[in-house]
Amino acid sequence: MYAVMKELVRQKYSRLIYPEHPRALDYDRERTDFRPYYPGGGGYAGFAYNVGYTTAMLQAALSSGG
């Protein structure tokens, strides 16, 4: 992910990065209202984790100069 972000920064990519298929975390699976809609599931905690991880990788790539 870090290498991908470095390349996106180098190319001055300014469009959307969307976490389309987040994995289900234990927190998601333990919820009574959890509904996996595809293999591997996914839920709010998985989505939040993916957004946070992507943001961290983007910040690291930006601080390294691309």
Side-chain angles (χ1 to χ4, degrees), residues 26-48:
D26 289 342
Y27 173 80
D28 293 322
R29 290 188 182 104
E30 292 169 359
R31 293 178 51 94
T32 57
D33 61 345
F34 176 65
R35 304 282 187 268
Y37 293 109
Y38 51 87
Y44 297 117
F47 192 87

Side-chain angles (χ1 to χ4, degrees), residues 3-58:
V4 169
M5 285 299 174
K6 282 184 71 166
E7 184 62 20
L8 292 175
V9 167
R10 190 177 77 75
Q11 295 290 331
K12 295 180 176 40
Y13 181 79
S14 63
R15 301 207 178 209
L16 179 71
I17 298 171
Y18 184 77
E20 190 170 324
H21 294 284
R23 303 301 293 175
L25 301 178
D26 289 342
Y27 173 80
D28 293 322
R29 290 188 182 104
E30 292 169 359
R31 293 178 51 94
T32 57
D33 61 345
F34 176 65
R35 304 282 187 268
Y37 293 109
Y38 51 87
Y44 297 117
F47 192 87
Y49 176 84
N50 281 359
V51 170
Y53 182 76
T54 303
T55 302
M57 292 297 102
L58 178 58

